[in-house]
């Protein structure tokens, strides 16, 4: 018993010591946590929240506007938007617009074919035409140059004030062609008849921009006439026959195998010419074509070994990938052409049987310096008698010993033979195959209308000047081929050229009623290959000094923008021209990609008939699916539209101001007022009464003008009251409605505004435009009704320099999710004013004696004000303003994520540009560049002229700078895929406290939501350092899985990506073969070429002018 008693006493003593130690430690921890009393932080947050909401509500007039809309609640009709009906209606509108453009092109085709039919070729024809380069040019004596007579050019606002001649077209001839070649002069002469049709088309449809005729002979007739300027080298590289619209209209889709001889005899300049020939052939291939490249000597060498035995789509990324691999080709051994031909035929046959590819034309391109046989047994086995695979042969070099064999191969297989002696000859000779492939279409007399993908053609003289505020103009082109109708040449299938007109993508957006799509809704269109024609998330340009095109801008797939659709359900349905609906949760970034809105979208889609395009509409669930109609008299509405603070979204189409020149300078607001008062009866304000008697956009504008009018007097009274806003902290009040109507009131003079760009055309994200509602409107719509959303505008610079805070709130008609958000109002205030209110609130305390136990002035704590995306609005260190909270307090942000107060959302950017370092050699790539190839040809010709004098010395010196430049590291921006995080607060968590175990201490913090806002106060213990926890950043991480990156970790993954083909829809038309085709025109004699003296002279001038 005593022993047991002793044991119990010992145990009791031990337990007492342990309990005392435990409680001491617990008191220490709790004491650390209690250094930041939650009740005090709650008091601060409540005081600041009440003060700042009072200011925002007072100066924005939000309660007044909410009251005014409530007064009309009984007089409005709320409707749920029928997404399928809406998308069908929009598709019909686009179809009508596209049809007008194609009819204009069809009239040009008819006029051109009739003019050629009546024309008789005259080899001695002398004709002074307007040469686009020479017009208005004079010699030293003041006389007009030949082909350069006076051509009146007047700035025209429809063409961005570019000097043009809207009565006449003029003609551009490529630099490497002779201006007065008989074929050129005859073609220019008979095509003059197009001038009348150009003008007539423009009169019928004043929204038309550039119309043109690209001749198969190489000249380019453009309306309206414009002056072309050579580049710094005196060269105009533009050749219309190399443009996508020309190639697409002239030929049918094709499968092509390119065979390149790399035997020992191809060393030196021959291999360089061969590589340039391959590159030029690749230029002629488009998204509807498929190809592969095989180099051969005694063995076969696939340029991309991963694609052994198959073909790949000729999109830009694949073509660039193959171009890079061309650098690795070198010449050695013996050429075994029979092996290469067998492989090419087998590959085309097997690929065709898979059901992939074009399922139309097939061709083998043979690039060699000779063939010892005609290989008729191979052709008999694979290609005769139908000759469905055409053979095009390119003899490299001057020797003609093997020309007969190569020509026989081409002629026996419905192809074409040509000889390429210099780099300067490449492009003209490559073009010949296109005219051969066009023969079946010409014989069928099928004028297929083709539409290109969205592109920017910066080679045209107007491209830079036709830029809108966002940069170069994105457009699509509608084109049709022009044929010879002469009976005697019918079997030859003579292509005269291609006519076309451009349609800016922004013209498509004018047909879309943004007000019907809601705050987050949008419309988009894709091509038959799934590439984006228009989408608000398409970013074709990037900035590096100036705005530039991204290399892959024209082949951005829908799946790269709507990336949440992992199974491509939406994309594939649209590619297959189906009509239907699809829903998914999406993560839409705003505010320069730094913030994210998570919502559920309903997608509705259908095809646009008469085009290869499909149209989609995205409507966000909740308020985005509802629309309401109000009704006021025209007289009431007009009265309230006269207020000077009213403006309308100029990128929205209320009235069509393009139809008459005198209307083009009008704003949309001016046009509405003049239309409604009867002063401009010719104006077409097409949405006034539309669609089965519904009163549309203008009627709703009048309603919003009437309801929002009282706020102008309210703002004015505030501005006139000297006791209000004495420190001028609030600078601007603004409102916007779902119809694009805006009102703005300045509480300070314009020159005193801290942010001069706010609500101006320079601040695209904060005004209504064709793509989206203002940022402050979109964010307010997702905030709890009655609360304000606060933010600091992000600067485009590395460090945020913003000195203002924007606050906005949404106005709803009803108190539920089915209520449309009818408007948003807000203010912009000085950041210093906003922060001062915060620090004042954080000094309050509840003690009776006025002595506060804790204050943000204490060095022991740090106080922050952050928003719902984690960005700092207030910090004791002013430099941290605008930073992400995780960069400053990584340990606290990490704990908030762990506790669920914030959540991380992973986002993807498949249109990113990454800065890379890679070894660069100027040798091969410089020769594949057209300009360097041109000058390389000059040097080669000059070398040949004096080769007999100093052969080896001259050659080694002259070619050294183009073929033996040392490799060096080059930094550049290249397309890449990136992954990056965004952060958003959990709405249900209003407050929380936490402790973080650091190396030798516990760091405590308190986070408290600011009432009626998207803000949080965070108070952090400043005495415990958590240096072991790294900061949390929002920096993007490159996803290294694409062959477009500088290196690839996983070769098998790269191969799979190359081989993978997304679902695409073939063009409906195919003209690959015609039994009546005359195949005897198969080359051997140069077609149109420049006169040697002129070539040599221009080359010498060009090289010595550098």
């Amino acid at each position: 018993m005593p022993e047991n008693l002793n044991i119990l006493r010992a145990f009791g003593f031990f337990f007492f010591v342990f309990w005392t130690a435990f409680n001491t430690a617990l008191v220490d921890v709790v004491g650390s946590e209690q250094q930041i009393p939650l009740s005090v932080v709650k008091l601060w947050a409540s005081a600041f929240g009440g003060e700042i909401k009072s200011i925002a509500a007072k100066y924005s007039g939000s309660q007044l506007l909410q009251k005014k809309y409530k007064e009309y609640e009984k007089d409005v009709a709320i409707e749920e938007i029928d997404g399928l009906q809406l998308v069908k209606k929009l598709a019909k509108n686009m179809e009508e617009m596209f049809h007008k453009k194609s009819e204009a092109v069809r009239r040009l085709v008819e006029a051109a074919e009739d003019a050629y039919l009546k024309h008789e070729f005259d080899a001695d024809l002398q004709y002074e035409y307007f040469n686009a380069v020479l017009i208005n040019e004079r010699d030293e004596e003041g006389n007009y140059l030949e082909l350069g007579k006076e051509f009146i050019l007047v700035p025209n606002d429809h063409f961005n004030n570019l000097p043009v001649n809207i009565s006449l077209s003029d003609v551009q001839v490529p630099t490497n062609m002779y201006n007065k070649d008989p074929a050129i002069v005859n073609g220019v002469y008979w095509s003059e008849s197009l001038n009348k049709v150009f003008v007539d088309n423009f009169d019928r449809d004043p929204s038309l921009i550039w119309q043109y005729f690209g001749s198969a002979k190489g000249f380019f007739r453009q309306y309206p006439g414009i002056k072309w300027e050579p580049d710094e080298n005196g060269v105009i590289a533009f050749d219309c026959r190399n443009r996508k619209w020309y190639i697409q209209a002239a030929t049918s889709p094709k499968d092509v195998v390119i065979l390149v001889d790399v035997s020992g005899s191809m060393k030196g300049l021959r291999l360089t010419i061969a590589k340039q020939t391959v590159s030029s052939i690749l230029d002629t291939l488009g998204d509807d074509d498929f190809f592969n490249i095989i180099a051969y000597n005694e063995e076969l060498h696939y340029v991309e070994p991963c694609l052994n035995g198959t073909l790949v789509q000729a999109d830009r990324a694949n073509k660039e990938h193959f171009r890079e691999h061309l650098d690795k080709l070198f010449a050695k051994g013996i050429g075994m052409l029979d092996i290469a031909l067998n492989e090419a035929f087998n590959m085309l046959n097997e690929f065709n049987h898979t059901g992939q590819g074009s399922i139309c034309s097939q061709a083998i391109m043979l690039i060699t310096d000779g063939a010892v046989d005609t290989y008729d047994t191979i052709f008999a086995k694979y290609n005769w008698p139908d000759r469905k695979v055409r053979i095009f042969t390119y003899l490299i070099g001057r020797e003609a010993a093997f020309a007969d064999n190569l020509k026989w191969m081409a002629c026996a297989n419905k192809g074409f033979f040509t000889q390429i002696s210099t780099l300067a000859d490449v492009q003209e000779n490559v073009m010949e195959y296109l005219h051969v492939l066009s023969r079946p279409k010409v014989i069928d007399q099928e004028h297929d209308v083709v539409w290109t993908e969205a592109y920017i053609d910066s080679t045209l003289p107007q491209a830079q000047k036709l830029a809108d505020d966002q940069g170069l103009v994105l457009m699509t082109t509608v084109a049709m081929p022009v044929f010879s109708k002469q009976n005697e040449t019918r079997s030859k299938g003579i292509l005269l050229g291609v006519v076309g007109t451009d349609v800016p993508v922004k013209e498509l957006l004018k047909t879309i009623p943004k007000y019907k799509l809601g705050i987050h809704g949008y419309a988009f269109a894709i091509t038959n290959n799934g590439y984006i024609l228009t989408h608000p998330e398409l970013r074709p340009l990037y900035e590096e000094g100036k705005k530039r095109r991204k290399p892959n801008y024209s082949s951005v797939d829908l799946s790269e923008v709507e990336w949440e659709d992992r199974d491509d359900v939406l994309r594939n349905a649209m590619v297959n021209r189906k009509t239907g609906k699809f829903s998914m949760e999406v993560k839409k970034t705003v505010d320069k990609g730094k913030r994210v809105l998570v919502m559920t979208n309903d997608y509705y889609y259908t095809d646009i008939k008469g085009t290869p395009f499909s149209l989609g509409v995205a409507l966000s669930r909740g308020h985005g699916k509802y629309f309401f109609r109000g009704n006021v008299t025209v007289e009431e509405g007009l009265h309230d539209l006269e207020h000077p603070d009213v403006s309308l979204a100029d990128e929205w189409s209320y009235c069509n101001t393009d139809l008459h020149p005198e209307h083009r300078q009008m704003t949309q607001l001016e046009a509405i007022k003049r239309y409604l008062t009867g002063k401009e009866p010719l104006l077409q304000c097409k949405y006034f009464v539309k669609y089965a008697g519904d009163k549309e956009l203008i009627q709703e504008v009048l309603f919003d003008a009437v309801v929002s009018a009282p706020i102008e007097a309210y703002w004015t009274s505030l501005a006139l009251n000297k006791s209000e806003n004495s420190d001028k902290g609030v600078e601007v009040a603004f409102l916007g409605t779902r119809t694009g109507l805006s009102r703005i009131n300045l509480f300070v003079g314009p020159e005193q505004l801290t942010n001069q760009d706010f609500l101006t055309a320079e601040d695209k994200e904060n005004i209504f435009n064709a793509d989206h509602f203002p940022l402050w409107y979109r964010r307010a719509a997702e905030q709890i009704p009655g609360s304000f959303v606060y933010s600091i505008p992000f600067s485009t610079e590395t460090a945020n320099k913003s000195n203002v805070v924007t606050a906005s709130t949404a106005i709803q008609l009803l108190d539920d999710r089915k209520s449309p958000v009818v408007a948003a109002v807000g203010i912009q205030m000085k950041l210093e004013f906003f922060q001062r209110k915060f620090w004042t609130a954080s000094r309050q305390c509840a003690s009776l004696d006025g002595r506060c136990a804790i204050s943000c002035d204490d060095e022991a704590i740090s106080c922050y004000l952050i928003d719902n995306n984690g960005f700092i609005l207030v910090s004791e260190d002013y430099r941290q303003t605008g930073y992400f909270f995780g960069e400053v307090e990584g340990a606290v942000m990490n704990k908030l994520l762990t506790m669920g107060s914030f959540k991380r959302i992973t986002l993807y950017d498949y249109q990113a540009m990454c800065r890379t370092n890679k070894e660069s050699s100027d040798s091969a790539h410089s020769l594949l560049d057209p300009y360097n190839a041109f000058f390389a040809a000059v040097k080669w010709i000059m070398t040949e002229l004096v080769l007999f004098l100093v052969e080896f010395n001259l050659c080694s010196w002259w070619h050294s700078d183009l073929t033996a430049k040392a490799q060096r590291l080059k930094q550049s921006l290249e397309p890449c895929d990136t992954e990056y995080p965004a952060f958003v607060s959990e709405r249900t968590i209003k407050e929380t406290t936490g402790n973080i175990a650091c190396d030798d201490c516990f760091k405590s913090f308190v986070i408290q939501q600011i009432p009626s806002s998207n803000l949080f106060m965070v108070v952090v213990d400043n005495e415990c350092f958590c240096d072991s926890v790294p900061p949390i950043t929002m920096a993007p991480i490159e996803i290294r899985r694409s062959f477009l990156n500088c290196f690839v970790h996983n070769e098998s993954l790269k191969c799979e990506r190359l081989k993978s083909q997304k679902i695409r829809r073939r063009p409906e038309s195919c003209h690959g073969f015609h039994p009546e085709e005359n195949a005897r025109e198969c080359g051997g004699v140069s077609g149109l070429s420049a006169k040697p003296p002129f070539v040599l002279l221009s080359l010498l001038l060009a090289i010595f002018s550098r």
Side-chain angles (χ1 to χ4, degrees), residues 1014-1064:
N1014 67 318
L1015 303 177
F1016 294 86
M1017 177 179 279
V1018 187
V1019 183
V1020 180
D1021 172 13
N1022 219 19
E1023 295 185 333
C1024 178
F1025 296 97
C1026 272
D1027 296 333
S1028 60
V1029 181
I1032 297 175
T1033 73
M1034 298 179 68
I1037 301 169
E1038 183 177 355
I1039 306 169
R1040 293 190 178 278
R1041 62 172 191 164
S1042 168
F1043 59 79
L1044 292 173
N1045 299 318
C1046 18
F1047 67 91
V1048 182
H1049 294 301
N1050 191 325
E1051 285 296 318
S1052 64
L1053 189 60
K1054 177 188 77 168
C1055 188
E1056 285 302 312
R1057 188 174 175 91
L1058 275 168
K1059 287 182 176 179
S1060 65
Q1061 298 289 336
K1062 285 185 176 290
I1063 289 176
R1064 52 183 292 278

Side-chain angles (χ1 to χ4, degrees), residues 820-844:
V821 175
V822 295
V825 293
I827 61 170
Q828 190 167 91
M829 62 192 108
K830 292 178 182 177
L831 177 61
E832 177 271 331
F833 169 81
F834 179 82
Q835 292 180 336
R836 190 167 69 246
K837 297 294 182 184
F838 175 81
W839 295 123
T840 300
S842 68
R843 295 187 182 100
Q844 297 188 23

Side-chain angles (χ1 to χ4, degrees), residues 721-911:
N721 191 336
K722 300 292 184 182
S723 63
E724 299 287 354
N725 199 30
S726 57
D727 54 2
K728 296 184 178 179
V730 179
E731 298 187 333
V732 185
F734 52 86
L735 73 80
T737 75
R738 81 261 144 73
T739 58
L741 180 143
S742 298
R743 292 181 185 271
I744 302 170
N745 184 80
L746 301 185
F747 293 113
V748 298
E751 70 286 348
Q752 295 176 292
L753 286 172
T754 305
N755 184 355
Q756 294 283 334
D757 291 338
F758 185 56
L759 302 176
T760 67
E762 283 71 34
D763 187 12
K764 280 284 185 182
E765 253 195 318
N766 281 307
I767 61 174
F768 289 95
N769 61 42
D771 283 335
H772 55 66
F773 276 56
L775 175 62
W776 44 265
Y777 200 134
R778 286 179 283 163
R779 294 195 67 208
E782 297 310 303
Q783 193 70 12
I784 296 172
S787 62
F788 279 81
V789 59
Y790 301 85
S791 63
I792 293 181
F794 289 109
S795 170
T796 54
E797 302 169 19
T798 305
N800 189 35
K801 304 292 186 184
S802 179
N803 292 313
V804 293
V805 175
T806 303
S808 60
T809 187
I811 306 297
Q812 287 190 304
L813 195 63
L814 304 175
D815 299 325
D816 59 41
R817 286 291 289 171
K818 290 188 176 181
S819 172
V821 175
V822 295
V825 293
I827 61 170
Q828 190 167 91
M829 62 192 108
K830 292 178 182 177
L831 177 61
E832 177 271 331
F833 169 81
F834 179 82
Q835 292 180 336
R836 190 167 69 246
K837 297 294 182 184
F838 175 81
W839 295 123
T840 300
S842 68
R843 295 187 182 100
Q844 297 188 23
C845 60
S847 60
L848 296 176
D849 59 3
R851 298 179 63 184
C852 301
I854 190 171
S855 166
C856 284
D857 294 332
D858 295 348
E859 293 184 1
I861 60 173
S862 292
C863 296
Y864 302 93
L865 185 69
I866 66 174
D867 65 19
N868 60 315
N869 298 117
F871 293 103
I872 299 172
L873 282 80
V874 182
S875 170
E876 293 163 25
D877 185 348
Y878 182 80
R879 295 170 298 179
Q880 294 172 349
T881 305
Y883 276 70
F884 177 61
F885 183 64
E887 296 180 45
V888 178
E889 295 281 359
V892 178
M893 190 68 205
N894 187 61
K895 187 69 173 179
L896 290 174
L897 289 169
T898 304
M899 297 167 65
S901 296
F902 275 78
K903 58 183 177 181
R904 180 197 305 262
I905 297 174
T906 301
L907 303 170
Y908 299 92
D909 185 359
Y910 297 106
Q911 302 178 72

Side-chain angles (χ1 to χ4, degrees), residues 1057-1102:
R1057 188 174 175 91
L1058 275 168
K1059 287 182 176 179
S1060 65
Q1061 298 289 336
K1062 285 185 176 290
I1063 289 176
R1064 52 183 292 278
R1065 192 182 72 257
R1066 296 184 188 88
E1068 296 175 0
S1069 173
C1070 171
H1071 306 278
F1073 173 80
H1074 199 287
E1076 298 179 20
E1077 179 184 343
N1078 178 1
R1080 290 189 296 273
E1081 299 282 338
C1082 51
V1085 180
S1086 297
L1088 179 66
S1089 60
K1091 302 290 184 183
F1094 291 95
V1095 171
L1096 185 57
L1097 178 61
S1098 63
L1099 293 178
L1100 291 171
L1101 287 173

Side-chain angles (χ1 to χ4, degrees), residues 5 10 389 402 585 592 688 784 827 871 892 928 1060 1097:
L5 186 62
V389 179
F402 301 106
E585 183 181 86
K592 300 179 174 66
F688 186 57
I784 296 172
I827 61 170
F871 293 103
V892 178
L928 293 183
S1060 65
L1097 178 61

Side-chain angles (χ1 to χ4, degrees), residues 610-673:
T611 77
F613 309 134
S614 290
L615 177 68
V617 165
L619 301 177
S620 61
R621 292 237 180 119
H623 57 73
K625 296 293 292 290
Y626 295 91
F627 176 76
F628 85 93
R629 303 180 190 280
N631 192 18
V632 295
T633 66
V634 172
E635 290 72 25
E636 288 178 291
L638 270 174
H639 175 267
D640 290 322
L641 280 178
E642 292 294 340
H643 292 186
D645 68 330
V646 175
S647 63
L648 290 178
D650 263 338
E651 290 190 17
W652 291 19
S653 185
Y654 303 83
C655 297
N656 191 342
T657 57
D658 289 332
L659 296 179
H660 300 281
E662 62 271 21
H663 298 156
R664 289 180 187 143
Q665 295 299 321
M666 288 185 185
T667 65
Q668 288 292 322
L669 181 58
E670 290 171 334
I672 286 178
K673 291 192 287 190

